[in-house]
């Protein structure tokens, strides 16, 4: 019986893009190419990587775009202090308990915070994606409506431009501008969950790449642990890969700094090679 595989790519800024790309390249070099999954779910950084690999771009070529300065796409630096950012977010969410209310509050904060112009940010996102059309393979990109707090999942049937969908999923609240799509404003899909693994319920083999190091800062609304428990309860085999010590060190203290792309990609590649046997032991159990 044919079983279905899903690849879940979480958020983590430019560090997350570098690390996830490196992991995928390292896995492929070791003989485990997971980019041919039946569904790819991308959130924030994972939306960029998901759009790239679902579009048929080889992980090793994407890796070269990150480690070769001559091929690196233009990025907008962001001066981010994670401790200060988390403190501000804590104030925004004071006394909020309902998940939708939490997302509405974060959306309101994003809408009122001065940022770079939306068009300028979109140009950066377009430069990240060598292909601007939706891939023929299933790809889900997650964002959150800044006004209502509702989760929006974009795919090839949404009638939404791929660049806009990825930009919306990557619109870090308080850092980058919310993205306008059909008159609505959207923010980072990580406001719902950094990985949104709940979207792959029903798949049999699930690989989650979460750029959040073990014990690292996570959004106060959580998400991954609960989703993994539910997936396993429903019978899925789930493997979660997080940054190891070397990859974590490469990420530094500002995941939005363009300078982290090369070291995180290289560290991710080496970690991917080391993780290949563990991932393969799960991934190869699905008869095709």
């Amino acid at each position: 019986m044919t079983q279905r595989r899903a690849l879940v790519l979480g958020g983590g800024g430019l560090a997350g893009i570098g690390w996830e790309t490196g992991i995928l390249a390292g896995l492929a070099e070791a003989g485990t190419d997971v980019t041919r999954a039946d569904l790819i779910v991308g959130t924030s950084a994972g939306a960029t990587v998901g759009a790239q690999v679902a579009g048929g771009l080889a992980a090793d070529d994407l890796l070269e775009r990150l480690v070769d300065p001559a091929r690196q796409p233009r990025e907008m630096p962001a001066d981010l202090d994670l401790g200060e950012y988390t403190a501000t977010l804590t104030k925004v969410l004071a006394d909020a308990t309902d998940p939708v209310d939490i997302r509405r509050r974060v959306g309101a904060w994003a809408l009122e915070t001065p940022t770079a112009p939306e068009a300028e940010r979109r140009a950066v996102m377009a430069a990240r994606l060598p292909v601007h059309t939706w891939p023929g393979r299933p790809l889900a990109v997650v964002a959150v409506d800044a006004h209502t707090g509702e989760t929006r999942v974009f795919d090839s049937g949404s009638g939404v431009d791929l660049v806009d969908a990825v930009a919306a999923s990557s619109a870090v609240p308080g850092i980058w501008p919310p993205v306008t799509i059909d008159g609505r404003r959207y923010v980072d899909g990580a406001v719902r969950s950094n990985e949104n693994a709940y979207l792959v319920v029903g798949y049999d083999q699930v690989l989650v790449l979460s750029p959040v190091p073990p014990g690292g800062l996570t959004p106060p609304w959580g998400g991954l642990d609960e989703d993994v428990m539910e997936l396993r309860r429903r019978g899925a085999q789930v493997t979660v890969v997080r940054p190891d010590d070397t990859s974590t060190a490469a990420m530094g203290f500002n995941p939005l700094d363009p300078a982290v792309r090369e070291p995180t990609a290289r560290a991710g590649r080496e970690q991917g090679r080391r993780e290949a046997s563990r991932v393969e032991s799960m991934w190869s159990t699905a008869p095709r």
Side-chain angles (χ1 to χ4, degrees):
M1 183 176 102
T2 299
Q3 298 189 36
R4 300 193 301 166
R5 299 164 169 161
L7 173 63
V8 178
L9 302 169
L14 292 173
I17 291 175
W19 178 76
E20 288 177 342
T21 302
I23 288 284
L24 294 174
L27 288 173
E29 288 173 11
T32 305
D33 183 1
V34 299
T35 63
R36 302 302 300 179
D38 299 297
L39 172 65
I40 297 177
V41 173
T43 300
S44 201
T48 291
V49 179
Q52 291 171 337
V53 299
L57 298 171
D60 59 349
D61 183 59
L62 294 172
L63 183 74
E64 287 302 313
R65 282 171 52 87
L66 296 178
V67 302
D68 182 353
R71 298 187 65 192
Q72 289 175 343
R74 182 180 73 87
E75 290 288 348
M76 299 172 66
D79 185 13
L80 173 65
D81 182 315
L82 282 177
E84 182 178 321
Y85 186 85
T86 301
T88 301
L89 189 57
T90 299
K91 292 179 181 178
V92 169
L93 299 179
D95 301 324
T97 56
D98 176 75
V100 177
D101 183 42
I102 287 174
R103 297 196 289 271
R104 279 197 297 259
R105 291 193 189 195
V106 174
W109 172 45
L111 290 168
E112 68 186 20
T113 302
T115 64
E118 188 176 339
E120 184 177 347
R121 178 63 180 165
R122 188 187 189 280
V124 170
M125 303 305 298
R128 286 184 186 176
L129 303 180
V131 178
H132 292 175
T133 56
W134 282 93
R137 291 162 49 213
L139 169 69
V141 173
V142 189
V144 169
D145 188 306
H147 291 283
T148 67
E150 295 177 352
T151 304
R152 178 77 185 271
V153 180
F154 299 107
D155 58 24
S156 60
S158 300
V160 172
D161 183 90
L162 177 63
V163 175
D164 289 334
V166 173
S169 184
S170 307
V172 182
I175 303 293
W176 303 127
V179 173
T180 305
I181 298 176
D182 296 332
R184 307 297 302 176
R185 305 293 302 281
Y186 293 93
V187 295
D188 201 309
V191 176
R192 161 55 176 79
S193 162
N194 200 59
E195 294 79 18
N196 289 294
Y198 76 98
L199 290 171
V200 301
V201 166
Y203 284 76
D204 305 290
Q205 271 74 26
V206 178
L207 173 62
V208 181
L209 301 187
S210 175
V212 180
L217 289 173
T218 58
W221 44 85
L224 181 58
D225 291 344
E226 296 86 350
D227 287 347
V228 169
M229 287 178 60
E230 179 63 15
L231 288 168
R232 288 175 173 158
R233 187 185 71 79
R234 291 174 177 251
Q237 291 179 275
V238 184
T239 298
V240 178
V241 178
R242 295 183 182 272
D244 60 13
D245 290 344
T246 301
S247 293
T248 299
M251 289 177 169
F253 298 101
N254 181 359
L256 303 182
D257 183 353
V260 305
R261 289 179 292 181
E262 178 180 351
T264 53
R266 293 190 185 280
R269 179 186 187 183
E270 295 305 313
Q271 184 181 350
R273 290 170 171 167
R274 293 190 294 272
E275 294 278 5
S277 60
R278 180 167 75 100
V279 173
E280 176 66 17
S281 66
M282 178 272 291
W283 206 251
S284 63
T285 60
R288 308 302 290 169

